[in-house]
Amino acid sequence: MNRENQVRQSLQAIERAMQDLALWQAAPPEPEAFFSTEPFCVDSMRAEEWLQWVLLPRMMALLDAGAALPTRFMIAPYFEEALKDTQPNCMPLLVLLQHLDSLLNNPPG
């Protein structure tokens, strides 16, 4: 399986894990939340909101467009910290985020 398909499957697994953990939301944050210039929109969104409404759609758009994927990528540490006090059962999600980090930090050869 090529890297793009692996990344797509990883993103889909992250979505399913978020749904299983009841982190998936039916409605997006307020439009102003998307104008943040802070990393992960930390000043306007919770970590899981950023993951659902910013990262997953942007990564899927890159895949759909056949665009280059990032090769320096590390989000799992942020989520380990952001979810540690609010989501005690988030280990399945963290494992999937670590896998995504690994896929994107190993550029195609």
Side-chain angles (χ1 to χ4, degrees):
M1 178 181 318
N2 69 25
R3 180 172 174 252
E4 287 76 16
N5 285 339
Q6 288 177 327
V7 170
R8 187 178 300 274
Q9 284 186 346
S10 179
L11 296 171
Q12 292 166 341
I14 289 166
E15 179 177 334
R16 284 189 304 275
M18 290 179 70
Q19 291 167 348
D20 291 346
L21 292 167
L23 296 175
W24 197 257
Q25 300 174 345
E30 293 298 320
E32 311 76 65
F34 292 89
F35 296 124
S36 172
T37 58
E38 296 295 319
F40 305 104
C41 297
V42 295
D43 60 339
S44 61
M45 292 185 195
R46 292 188 316 274
E48 61 271 18
E49 289 177 317
W50 178 84
L51 185 57
Q52 177 181 351
W53 299 105
V54 178
L55 181 74
L56 293 178
R58 286 184 184 174
M59 292 297 294
M60 285 298 199
L62 288 175
L63 289 166
D64 291 344
L69 296 172
T71 56
R72 296 184 63 189
F73 191 87
M74 189 66 60
I75 62 169
Y78 168 65
F79 282 90
E80 289 169 7
E81 186 63 28
L83 299 178
K84 72 178 182 183
D85 294 328
T86 60
Q87 295 295 326
N89 300 320
C90 67
M91 189 51 70
L93 177 60
L94 294 177
V95 168
L96 293 169
L97 293 172
Q98 290 165 352
H99 179 68
L100 181 63
D101 284 353
S102 176
L103 282 172
L104 292 173
N105 280 306
N106 290 314

